[in-house]
């Protein structure tokens, strides 16, 4: 089969057709070109924009301590190790980083993967298999869904954050001695809402299911030690597999699993996405190590408080303008905003047109369209950083409100 015949199979795909249409009309929110470091103000295609489209929640991407950590690793190890962790790809800074992570999380062990995507893909496919059952939130990240498919386990989805549906799925039959693994995000990247981990954990305990929590977007923000949502809900000790990315708050690249010796030794032998990929480049590992050390310091705690203050300001400011930014997340003793503020639009084309108008007006956002969100559930994903100024947040609120008001009704 020629490549042209393969490509023809994509003809008629709604998403491909949409990409081509919006690219031709220059309203596409995708593949825009960044020309400076990820910071509160970023140069995009020749013009400065207030950056509200980045996962750089703690504002560490251009922090001098983090760039120095990357530079030191580059000076020592060069541009790349060029081998897998199994062979020649494990550096001493890998071991230092893994030790830092396990001490931070209070677990027996930790293991660093090259990317966050590979962390989920490799871990899920290694710990469950044919005859097992995965029960997963319908809004879980694509890497979780892909890892679940790769595992060969039976997959049961439950409606997003719907505990009654979760319990219904847990009541389903399991063949023989098959195991059950529940997988949720600590903080969901589209809506910016937290999983009710106290309730999820209670149901896992009731039905004898293991629990995996993806803390990619909650790491460095929630909990007394800033390890994420499980710590915030007081369920970290009951979470069997704790996963997080190093590319959001830590502002580098990679991912990790924190857990028991038995779990991590099993992954070192069975996680193919760990065994058969090249180790992360030294600069990324060095930046990750410097970031984790900073997050664990008083400066890290200050930045975590600051990003949530900005989130509260952005969310309340847009709500006061009559815009739909969804509900706050319940937590023990109250509720909270998150660094991800979802501006609900509905129609994909309207969302893209709004994205373009905001882009032209100096605010860079992220558009979430179907199938990343449910059909007719398009939204603009607005992310704040600890390093934003109050004035930048106020300017963004005013610009968004004015731009929405100018949209055709």
């Amino acid at each position: 089969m020629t490549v042209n015949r393969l490509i023809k199979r994509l003809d008629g795909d709604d998403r491909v057709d949409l990409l081509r249409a919006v690219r031709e009309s220059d309203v596409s929110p995708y593949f825009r070109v960044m020309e400076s470091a990820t910071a509160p103000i970023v140069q995009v295609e020749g013009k400065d924009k207030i950056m509200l489209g980045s996962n750089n929640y703690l504002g560490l991407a251009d922090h001098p301590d983090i760039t120095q950590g990357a530079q030191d690793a580059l000076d020592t190890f060069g541009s790349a190790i060029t081998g897998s962790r199994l062979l020649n790809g494990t550096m001493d800074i890998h071991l230092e980083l893994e030790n830092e992570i396990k001490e931070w999380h209070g677990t027996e062990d930790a293991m660093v993967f090259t990317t966050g995507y590979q962390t989920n893909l490799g871990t899920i496919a290694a710990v469950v298999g044919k005859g097992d059952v995965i029960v997963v939130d319908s809004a879980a990240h694509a890497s979780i869904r892909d890892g679940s498919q790769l595992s060969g386990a039976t997959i049961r989805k439950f409606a997003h954050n719907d505990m009654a549906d979760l319990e219904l799925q847990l009541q389903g039959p399991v063949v023989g001695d098959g195991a059950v693994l529940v997988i949720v995000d600590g903080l969901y990247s589209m809506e910016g809402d937290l999983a009710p981990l106290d309730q999820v954990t209670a149901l896992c305990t009731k039905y004898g299911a293991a629990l995996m929590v993806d803390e990619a977007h909650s790491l460095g923000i929630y909990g007394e030690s800033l390890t994420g949502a499980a710590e915030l809900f007081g369920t970290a000790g009951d979470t069997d597999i704790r996963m997080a990315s190093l590319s959001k708050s830590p502002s580098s690249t990679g991912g990790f699993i924190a857990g028991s010796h038995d779990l991590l030794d099993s992954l070192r032998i069975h996680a193919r996405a760990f065994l058969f990929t090249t180790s992360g480049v030294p600069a990324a590992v060095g930046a990750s190590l410097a970031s984790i050390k900073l997050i664990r310091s008083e400066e890290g705690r200050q930045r975590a408080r600051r990003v949530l203050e900005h989130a509260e300001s952005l969310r309340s400011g847009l709500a006061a303008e009559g815009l739909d930014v969804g509900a706050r997340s319940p937590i023990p003793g109250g509720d909270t905003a998150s660094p991800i503020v979802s501006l609900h639009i509905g129609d994909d084309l309207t969302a893209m047109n709004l994205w373009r108008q905001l882009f032209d007006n100096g605010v860079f956002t992220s558009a979430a369209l179907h199938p990343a969100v449910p059909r007719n559930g398009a939204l603009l994903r607005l992310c704040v950083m600890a390093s934003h100024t109050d004035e930048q947040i106020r300017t963004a609120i005013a610009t968004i409100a004015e731009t929405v008001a100018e949209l055709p009704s």
Side-chain angles (χ1 to χ4, degrees):
M1 181 179 288
T2 66
V3 68
N4 285 338
R5 288 178 64 191
L6 287 171
I7 293 171
K8 281 183 179 180
R9 289 187 173 188
L10 300 177
D11 288 347
D13 185 318
D14 289 346
R15 288 173 292 174
V16 174
D17 292 341
L18 181 61
L19 172 63
R20 289 169 176 163
V22 298
R23 186 169 55 198
E24 289 171 4
S25 59
D26 200 26
V27 298
S28 173
Y30 307 124
F31 303 107
R32 311 310 299 209
V33 181
M34 307 294 120
E35 298 164 342
S36 65
T38 298
I41 302 294
V42 174
Q43 187 169 82
V44 186
E45 299 174 3
K47 293 184 179 180
D48 287 346
K49 314 287 182 184
I50 296 176
M51 174 52 74
L52 290 182
S54 169
N55 297 324
N56 182 28
Y57 304 126
L58 298 183
L60 298 182
D62 61 347
H63 191 289
D65 290 357
I66 313 310
T67 55
Q68 187 62 53
Q71 186 63 56
D72 290 345
L74 181 64
D75 291 341
T76 302
F77 295 100
S79 63
I81 292 296
T82 71
S84 70
R85 288 288 306 273
L86 179 68
L87 299 175
N88 67 301
T90 293
M91 301 172 282
D92 57 3
I93 54 174
H94 271 121
L95 303 183
E96 187 178 355
L97 174 58
E98 289 169 342
N99 188 65
E100 190 82 24
I101 291 168
K102 77 176 185 180
E103 289 184 356
W104 184 24
H105 284 66
T107 56
E108 293 179 350
D109 205 351
M111 174 175 161
V112 171
F113 288 69
T114 302
T115 70
Y117 178 90
Q118 289 172 304
T119 306
N120 278 333
L121 199 73
T123 298
I124 296 167
V127 299
V128 293
K130 188 175 181 180
D132 297 325
V133 174
I134 295 173
V135 181
V136 61
D137 191 291
S138 61
H141 189 266
S143 59
I144 294 174
R145 299 198 301 272
D146 292 350
S148 299
Q149 290 284 353
L150 187 63
S151 74
T154 298
I155 302 169
R156 300 175 187 160
K157 293 182 181 180
F158 65 95
H160 178 51
N161 277 348
D162 186 328
M163 294 301 97
D165 196 22
L166 171 57
E167 182 161 24
L168 182 64
Q169 301 308 319
L170 286 170
Q171 290 171 343
V174 179
V175 177
D177 60 353
V180 179
L181 176 65
V182 174
I183 312 176
V184 298
D185 287 49
L187 174 64
Y188 287 91
S189 61
M190 294 294 104
E191 290 285 352
D193 55 341
L194 291 161
L197 288 176
D198 48 354
Q199 299 176 59
V200 173
T201 302
L203 286 171
C204 288
T205 300
K206 179 178 178 180
Y207 290 96
L211 174 61
M212 177 176 177
V213 178
D214 179 334
E215 301 272 20
H217 293 272
S218 42
L219 185 77
I221 297 167
Y222 296 108
E224 184 177 349
S225 299
L226 305 181
T227 60
E231 185 182 18
L232 175 66
F233 281 88
T235 61
D238 297 313
T239 304
D240 301 283
I241 306 174
R242 301 172 69 180
M243 178 273 176
S245 168
L246 293 165
S247 60
K248 278 70 177 179
S249 286
S251 299
S252 182
T253 299
F256 67 83
I257 297 293
S260 68
H261 286 308
D262 288 344
L263 170 66
L264 274 299
D265 281 344
S266 179
L267 292 180
R268 290 185 179 102
I269 297 301
H270 295 292
R272 295 172 67 84
F274 173 80
L275 289 168
F276 300 110
T277 193
T278 302
S279 168
V281 297
V285 180
S288 297
L289 177 59
S291 293
I292 298 303
K293 289 181 176 179
L294 188 148
I295 292 170
R296 298 185 70 188
S297 72
E298 177 57 32
E299 180 179 347
R301 288 186 284 274
Q302 291 174 358
R303 284 176 177 265
R305 288 193 292 270
R306 185 67 169 161
V307 72
L308 288 177
E309 289 170 358
H310 284 328
E312 295 282 2
S313 297
L314 179 63
R315 191 181 185 287
S316 61
L318 294 175
E321 296 288 344
L323 302 181
D324 181 0
V325 289
R328 296 164 60 85
S329 291
I331 59 172
D335 54 27
T336 185
S338 85
I340 305 164
V341 179
S342 56
L343 177 59
H344 292 257
I345 307 300
D347 178 71
D348 281 354
L349 289 176
T350 302
M352 283 189 288
N353 285 326
L354 176 58
W355 178 91
R356 179 69 212 204
Q357 291 301 312
L358 289 173
F359 183 81
D360 291 341
N361 291 338
V363 178
F364 190 97
T365 64
S366 294
L369 313 174
H370 179 75
V373 293
R375 196 175 296 276
N376 297 318
L379 55 85
L380 294 189
R381 181 178 179 272
L382 315 176
C383 299
V384 294
M385 305 179 201
S387 48
H388 277 122
T389 66
D390 293 340
E391 179 60 29
Q392 287 165 346
I393 297 296
R394 286 193 292 268
T395 299
I397 293 168
T399 302
I400 292 168
E402 291 167 5
T403 306
V404 170
E406 294 171 357
L407 287 176
S409 56

